[in-house]
Amino acid sequence: MPRERFYTLTASCPDRTGIIARVTGFFAEQRGWILESSFHADPGVEGEAARYFMRIEVRADSLPFMLAELRERFAPIGAELQMDWQIADSAVKKRVVVLVSKQEHCLYDLLARWQSKELDIEIPCVISNHDSLKGFVEWHGIPFHHVPVSADADNKVRAFAEMRRIFEEVRGDTVVLARYMQILSPEICAAYPRRILNIHHSFLPSFVGAKPYHQAYQRGVKLIGATCHYVTADLDQGPIVEQDVIRIDHSDSPEDMVRYGKDIEKTVLARGLRYHLEDRVLVHGNKTVVFR
Amino acid sequence: MPRERFYTLTASCPDRTGIIARVTGFFAEQRGWILESSFHADPGVEGEAARYFMRIEVRADSLPFMLAELRERFAPIGAELQMDWQIADSAVKKRVVVLVSKQEHCLYDLLARWQSKELDIEIPCVISNHDSLKGFVEWHGIPFHHVPVSADADNKVRAFAEMRRIFEEVRGDTVVLARYMQILSPEICAAYPRRILNIHHSFLPSFVGAKPYHQAYQRGVKLIGATCHYVTADLDQGPIVEQDVIRIDHSDSPEDMVRYGKDIEKTVLARGLRYHLEDRVLVHGNKTVVFR
Amino acid sequence: MPRERFYTLTASCPDRTGIIARVTGFFAEQRGWILESSFHADPGVEGEAARYFMRIEVRADSLPFMLAELRERFAPIGAELQMDWQIADSAVKKRVVVLVSKQEHCLYDLLARWQSKELDIEIPCVISNHDSLKGFVEWHGIPFHHVPVSADADNKVRAFAEMRRIFEEVRGDTVVLARYMQILSPEICAAYPRRILNIHHSFLPSFVGAKPYHQAYQRGVKLIGATCHYVTADLDQGPIVEQDVIRIDHSDSPEDMVRYGKDIEKTVLARGLRYHLEDRVLVHGNKTVVFR
Amino acid sequence: MPRERFYTLTASCPDRTGIIARVTGFFAEQRGWILESSFHADPGVEGEAARYFMRIEVRADSLPFMLAELRERFAPIGAELQMDWQIADSAVKKRVVVLVSKQEHCLYDLLARWQSKELDIEIPCVISNHDSLKGFVEWHGIPFHHVPVSADADNKVRAFAEMRRIFEEVRGDTVVLARYMQILSPEICAAYPRRILNIHHSFLPSFVGAKPYHQAYQRGVKLIGATCHYVTADLDQGPIVEQDVIRIDHSDSPEDMVRYGKDIEKTVLARGLRYHLEDRVLVHGNKTVVFR
């Protein structure tokens, strides 16, 4: 059941009085029909200034002009309120490039959601450092690029350059690391801030680094989890978008935990990705505002 | 850490364009500082009209007038938008009358929250059909009324009349049935719509009626729960405010379930009561909008 | 990482003293290495006799004889204790026939687990009343049977007979209804007791019958769930194997609930199926003992 | 509803064949009625030897001798299997000394469970470094000891010596740190291994040390939790008994998290304490086996 076309304004600005009135007043003047609206005043951590966040969905056909003019007309308000703002169009599908290695659980999960239109996106290609999932991806009619990454530094530079070239060529909006087991170069992280989503197989900040389920087993925790976060140059330190956990007990081996963990990983990645694609995630410092 | 004083507007009205702008515009004109705001457009179930819900917290000291004048000035807007609205003052503590029987877990929990000021309310009295918790209540400096309820119809009428008299006398705002094991009369339910909160010891609509944990044991469910709802004349059918569940397994007896259930009951009741007291619960037909 | 081969004894019998000693004594005499063991004394509901349940995994190579002889030697003990018992061999993969309709989320999820060997089973075929998932199934090298089911009674009889013929022909052990949208005939239910697993899209016993998410929306519940149960001739009433829930709120439409629900459905089905395949589920009346 | 009297054997030993048979055979010879039994083979982490754990409840009146003779008769088996074992008597109530500071939520919760006999224990006294909860404790008929602890090293030594003296004088079995805000001395930790339970207000190993909710707020996690663990000389590093989490979002301040956290803290402490009191927790290195 397709929803009617709508525009999504997301914005943040220094907090002051009258922000909501100014923005919704603009839409009201045009008789714009607001479908959903969320607001949040963030006091900021440790001496940061208070900042205001908002997300508003407006029915496209309720406005007397098109998106380009909407942006043009909204610009003075954005400037007046010192806003960092953008307006997305629900009719324009986001283009999501998926990176995988050998593990298939997140890829199957994402393609099932794409196939059933639950995720209403374009997947212009899948990139992998292995070729084992090539057939499965291509069966879905999606191009597959095998870009091997070796330990050799020169090879790495070339591989990441190639991946970046592909991403630009297919005009990707978002990169999803669906259990991609290579660490992206700082250059790539810096080039696409808030556009690369990773699923980390632990409940961060616990168990950063390698083999988190084995670390969890050693520590004897009673719940394990997974974390979907934006990728930054600081490994496992980017803004957290979504997390969840599952109960384990003493009878579970590290292999059992890996298996349970996969169920959490794919669910948390899918939820985080959906929030991201629907422009529900705004970033403030190293934290996120998620308007569910 | 006490929050600054604020007013909370809650309102619902037929959905149309410009509602948020009209209301927030009013506050903006007065330079009112909005602390928190939530909006929801409800399409309605089965042919009901679409309805709009909102909750806005405004800092009291940011407005150039007092509450009475705020209400007076807001009234024309409420009328214009055909609103059902009210404005509460955070400086006026809600008066909550607690009804209990013999089980003490919810009462201990509520009084601990009241004692620590987590629940910033007045408890003008506790009423019970037994006297076993009298000492505990009175130690806290709270008056305790023992109003026995027998199976005899005349006695019931008198008992409920007495409870109602007490509630009026202490100028109660809200009644909490903290595992009160008598069914309130339809008259009382009708007299205080959306003001009586009950905690039901099952995950409604499963296992209505008596001994829900035993029913759950018989059916072999793998999770049990509790439900906080507004009381209506239809037993166990009122609008649901909050629910939660806990995992059980085949090794748990009905008595184990009762014990687990108590933990859910007190937590769900406390959460539901908090939402209610903070004016976060709006009712639409037989459902609730809960602005967390 | 494949586990060593093991035999799994599952048994139930009237409760008495000495059961564990008798059974584990038998294995100890043979120097059988017990990997995992679980016991449960069930008092029974409403006048049923108390019954004892057990599950024991023994390493195959620790025993001085093969499975056939193990069964032969264990038989007198089973008879002595009036046991209902069976011994499974981890080296013999269970043969699971999957039934689907048009929704693909559970099928993708099961095939991902099968592909990665997380589910170490044979899938001799997939049967559907639609042909839309034929290509996806066949790409995995799994035969696909399109058996249309119409509202016509004669057609139904023929269709179910055909499905049963296929199940027998491929020597299926278990049928999984992975969101199969037809009600199986009482004959089929009776023919394969405790061998047909269904995933129901509600937290039973709430919202039996059609469109449970819409029922949940109407009632305004705050959590929705899914239930994996054995199929019996009583629709939605069979023994419950596994359940789980997810939190929703007033802003979620029935369509949102359907989407959230799918995530619960596939996880709960996968967990329930795994318990079943690992012989962790024993049935007592209309309830299950699940040795996790 | 009191359960029949029973003895609980808990034991661990090097893994080998025949352990269950040897132990349950002993009980079977005496026609001992086993109510509940749990077994676990732990492979050990990083080069530790595999170890076997068990817990068995036997009905007292099914055995032809008393506890002292049971222990005497079981001793040779314990020696033969190189067991670390003990047998507890359900008729002997555990004596639990509760330590608190100013926060009352865990204390109210524990006393409610004690008052209702859900926790069937003796509380010979409560000790606090503040006197604010004296009246509440004494109202329940429980002695209260105010033992102030200052930053001065000598005072600390004296205070901890006094607390130890009290604990010995009242013949305490277990110490519960119910949000006691002082760090116990290494001597006390060493003197009572596996007998001091703490509730830590974070989901360990995340956010060790002070102000974990503020740390969680800074990091922007989406779930917060609490951990019940045995106290060792390594702060926040002891064996974990129980954990749980609750969902938060961007709108929650550190103060909100403190409030949510309290609900998790008291529930997790009560669950962990119950497991401990029912002899369900066995320790292996720095991890626990919890037979629920």
Short mmCIF file of all heavy atoms in Angstrom, two decimals, chain A residues 47 56 71 80 121 135 141 221 224 232 250 273:
data_model
loop_
_atom_site.label_atom_id
_atom_site.label_comp_id
_atom_site.label_asym_id
_atom_site.label_seq_id
_atom_site.Cartn_x
_atom_site.Cartn_y
_atom_site.Cartn_z
N GLY A 47 28.89 21.60 28.03
CA GLY A 47 29.21 22.92 27.54
C GLY A 47 28.87 23.19 26.09
O GLY A 47 29.10 24.28 25.59
N ILE A 56 9.71 17.15 9.76
CA ILE A 56 8.32 17.39 9.37
C ILE A 56 8.04 16.76 8.01
O ILE A 56 8.79 16.98 7.07
CB ILE A 56 8.03 18.92 9.30
CG1 ILE A 56 8.18 19.54 10.70
CG2 ILE A 56 6.64 19.19 8.74
CD1 ILE A 56 8.02 21.06 10.71
N ARG A 71 12.10 24.55 -1.72
CA ARG A 71 13.44 24.79 -1.16
C ARG A 71 13.80 26.27 -1.24
O ARG A 71 14.34 26.84 -0.29
CB ARG A 71 14.48 23.96 -1.90
CG ARG A 71 14.46 22.48 -1.51
CD ARG A 71 15.53 21.68 -2.26
NE ARG A 71 15.55 20.30 -1.80
CZ ARG A 71 15.65 19.25 -2.61
NH1 ARG A 71 15.75 19.42 -3.92
NH2 ARG A 71 15.68 18.02 -2.11
N GLU A 80 17.43 32.62 8.48
CA GLU A 80 17.04 33.40 9.66
C GLU A 80 17.26 32.65 10.97
O GLU A 80 17.70 33.21 11.96
CB GLU A 80 15.55 33.75 9.49
CG GLU A 80 14.90 34.44 10.65
CD GLU A 80 13.37 34.43 10.46
OE1 GLU A 80 12.91 34.44 9.29
OE2 GLU A 80 12.65 34.37 11.47
N ILE A 121 13.85 1.09 -1.87
CA ILE A 121 15.11 1.72 -2.27
C ILE A 121 15.62 1.14 -3.57
O ILE A 121 15.12 0.13 -4.06
CB ILE A 121 16.20 1.49 -1.19
CG1 ILE A 121 16.37 -0.04 -0.94
CG2 ILE A 121 15.84 2.21 0.09
CD1 ILE A 121 17.49 -0.40 0.01
N GLY A 135 26.54 -15.02 -7.08
CA GLY A 135 25.38 -15.64 -7.73
C GLY A 135 24.07 -15.20 -7.10
O GLY A 135 23.10 -14.88 -7.80
N GLY A 141 19.10 -9.63 -9.90
CA GLY A 141 19.21 -8.58 -10.92
C GLY A 141 20.04 -7.39 -10.46
O GLY A 141 19.94 -6.30 -11.03
N VAL A 221 28.90 -12.26 30.47
CA VAL A 221 27.72 -11.39 30.49
C VAL A 221 26.46 -12.23 30.24
O VAL A 221 26.53 -13.33 29.68
CB VAL A 221 27.80 -10.25 29.44
CG1 VAL A 221 28.89 -9.27 29.82
CG2 VAL A 221 28.02 -10.82 28.05
N ILE A 224 23.78 -10.37 25.20
CA ILE A 224 24.68 -9.88 24.15
C ILE A 224 23.88 -9.03 23.19
O ILE A 224 22.65 -9.12 23.15
CB ILE A 224 25.38 -11.02 23.39
CG1 ILE A 224 24.35 -11.99 22.81
CG2 ILE A 224 26.38 -11.73 24.28
CD1 ILE A 224 24.94 -12.99 21.84
N THR A 232 32.85 6.45 11.42
CA THR A 232 33.78 7.58 11.43
C THR A 232 35.19 7.01 11.42
O THR A 232 35.37 5.79 11.47
CB THR A 232 33.59 8.44 12.70
OG1 THR A 232 33.90 7.63 13.84
CG2 THR A 232 32.17 8.97 12.82
N HIS A 250 24.76 -19.52 30.77
CA HIS A 250 26.03 -20.24 30.89
C HIS A 250 26.17 -21.40 29.91
O HIS A 250 27.26 -21.84 29.62
CB HIS A 250 26.18 -20.77 32.32
CG HIS A 250 25.07 -21.69 32.71
ND1 HIS A 250 23.95 -21.26 33.37
CD2 HIS A 250 24.89 -23.01 32.50
CE1 HIS A 250 23.14 -22.29 33.56
NE2 HIS A 250 23.67 -23.36 33.03
N LEU A 273 18.89 1.21 9.41
CA LEU A 273 18.89 1.64 8.02
C LEU A 273 17.57 2.32 7.67
O LEU A 273 17.53 3.35 7.00
CB LEU A 273 19.11 0.42 7.10
CG LEU A 273 19.05 0.69 5.61
CD1 LEU A 273 20.09 1.72 5.18
CD2 LEU A 273 19.23 -0.61 4.81
#
